[in-house]
Amino acid sequence: MSEKKTQTDDMRLDQHEAVAAVGPAQAHDVQEATGPSRSLAADAWRSLRSNPLFWISASLITLFVLMAAVPGLFTGADPNQGILARRNQSPSAEYWFGTDAQGYDVYARSVYSARASILVGTLATLGTLLVGSVLGLIAGYAGGWADSIISRIGDIFFAIPLLLAGIVFLTSLGQQEEFLGLPLQGYLGIILQVVAFVVVFGWPSIMRLMRSSVIQVKPNDYVQAARALGASPLRIVRSHVLPNAMAPAIVVSTINLGVYIAVEATLSFLGIGLRPPALSWGVMINDSLNQLRSGAAMHQLYFPALFLSLTVLGFIMFGDAVRDAFDPKSR
């Protein structure tokens, strides 16, 4: 009985909140004048459909995500089979991207490298979005001492150069067998190290953005109406503040996904990110250094760098298109 009463109260509160924001008469007049209302997502989708950059970037992302999920669709060769008799061969009909100094098929390794690179970028993006959004929501809505503490901690992490932080963080973690009960060795352990580093030092930017959005949403009429009608702070945050403040953080996180893939490649190139047995484009570029110095077999560098560049470009272009679609000033 009490559950049914609570649900009924919630439904009444929703109706009161919707009417209190503009008033019943004004809401009816606006509905008749403008016709059926469209959500922000519907307007954004209409804008995206007419943007050619969106379709180009979406096609690139679909291609590389499919490559990461089902590499067998693109190649039947074993990326870990090295045959010294075929080392340093140029691109040909048999080996499309040639072979490297260990006799590995460069094309097969480029295809299989998509999995680790995109996995790191995706997990790092989700981690920074979750941590940054929660802390930004608390800082922006609570204010006061909570805002000051979270903002100052964010400033400390934000001020540390990312490359220096990566060298210190990943070098110290690489010497440990496990951290907080999680293994740090093997394929998943190596990926976990890079993801943890990006989350630890990447959340302040999302936190700042989320905090700013929450501060802008708090004074709006629908939030004040819900508060005046007796809605709890948790209900206000869940039903009104969070849905209206989340869009900028999601858009920026989409752009950051491409950035984090590039960060992983940079760290792997320096030998402190992913490393064997993990395969990534950064690892392949690092492996091609000796050949690059000798001036031979340049294809070992070109093809993984091309895959990396197209992937990063696709995610950044997609994020830019989504940002423009959600920004009313650009329409």
Side-chain angles (χ1 to χ4, degrees):
M1 186 70 182
S2 61
E3 260 183 49
K4 189 178 293 186
K5 184 177 184 304
T6 303
Q7 293 176 355
T8 305
D9 291 342
D10 286 345
M11 292 174 61
R12 289 175 180 172
L13 187 55
D14 285 335
Q15 294 172 355
H16 285 310
E17 289 173 3
V19 173
V22 295
Q26 291 86 344
H28 180 71
D29 292 341
V30 170
Q31 178 108 11
E32 287 187 347
T34 60
S37 59
R38 291 198 309 265
S39 65
L40 177 62
D43 287 338
W45 173 238
R46 291 184 61 192
S47 176
L48 285 174
R49 285 186 300 179
S50 61
N51 189 348
L53 289 181
F54 166 74
W55 294 110
I56 295 173
S57 60
S59 300
L60 286 173
I61 291 172
T62 302
L63 173 65
F64 285 106
V65 168
L66 189 62
M67 188 180 295
V70 194
L73 292 178
F74 297 87
T75 178
D78 185 357
N80 296 314
Q81 184 182 26
I83 303 175
L84 292 177
R86 66 182 187 186
R87 63 192 301 268
N88 290 333
Q89 290 190 17
S90 300
S92 62
E94 185 177 4
Y95 305 110
W96 292 359
F97 292 176
T99 60
D100 63 9
Q102 303 298 322
Y104 292 119
D105 189 335
V106 175
Y107 172 70
R109 290 175 73 82
S110 297
V111 169
Y112 277 85
S113 293
R115 176 174 296 173
S117 297
I118 293 179
L119 184 61
V120 168
T122 303
L123 293 179
T125 300
L126 292 176
T128 54
L129 179 62
L130 177 63
V131 175
S133 297
V134 170
L135 293 178
L137 185 62
I138 295 173
Y141 189 80
W145 61 268
D147 183 17
S148 299
I149 293 176
I150 294 175
S151 297
R152 297 298 78 78
I153 294 176
D155 291 341
I156 293 173
F157 282 93
F158 197 77
I160 301 175
L162 190 62
L163 185 58
L164 176 61
I167 293 173
V168 175
F169 187 90
L170 294 175
T171 301
S172 61
L173 274 187
Q175 298 173 354
Q176 302 181 28
E177 293 293 331
E178 62 178 30
F179 180 72
L180 297 178
L182 300 174
L184 295 180
Q185 305 302 322
Y187 181 82
L188 291 178
I190 295 171
I191 289 179
L192 179 63
Q193 293 181 37
V194 180
V195 171
F197 154 70
V198 175
V199 172
V200 168
F201 293 95
W203 65 267
S205 60
I206 300 297
M207 183 275 295
R208 287 181 168 188
L209 182 62
M210 189 68 181
R211 173 183 175 273
S212 176
S213 297
V214 171
I215 291 176
Q216 290 179 357
V217 169
K218 273 177 61 178
N220 288 342
D221 292 340
Y222 53 85
V223 176
Q224 301 303 324
R227 184 178 289 112
L229 289 168
S232 65
L234 181 60
R235 178 183 174 84
I236 293 173
V237 168
R238 185 183 70 247
S239 302
H240 300 286
V241 176
L242 185 60
N244 291 282
M246 199 67 191
I250 294 176
V251 171
V252 171
S253 295
T254 305
I255 300 175
N256 285 347
L257 200 156
V259 175
Y260 293 151
I261 293 175
V263 168
E264 176 274 316
T266 303
L267 295 172
S268 299
F269 172 76
L270 295 175
I272 56 176
L274 298 184
R275 53 192 181 275
L279 264 180
S280 78
W281 294 313
V283 172
M284 292 185 65
I285 295 173
N286 185 24
D287 292 340
S288 67
L289 280 180
N290 292 330
Q291 302 302 316
L292 182 63
R293 294 191 185 100
S294 64
M298 299 293 289
H299 61 273
Q300 299 175 24
L301 169 66
Y302 290 154
F303 291 112
L306 176 64
F307 276 46
L308 172 65
S309 301
L310 290 176
T311 304
V312 173
L313 178 64
F315 279 108
I316 291 179
M317 287 172 54
F318 184 82
D320 286 339
V322 173
R323 180 192 59 194
D324 294 341
F326 277 92
D327 185 7
K329 296 179 182 178
S330 67
R331 296 197 293 269

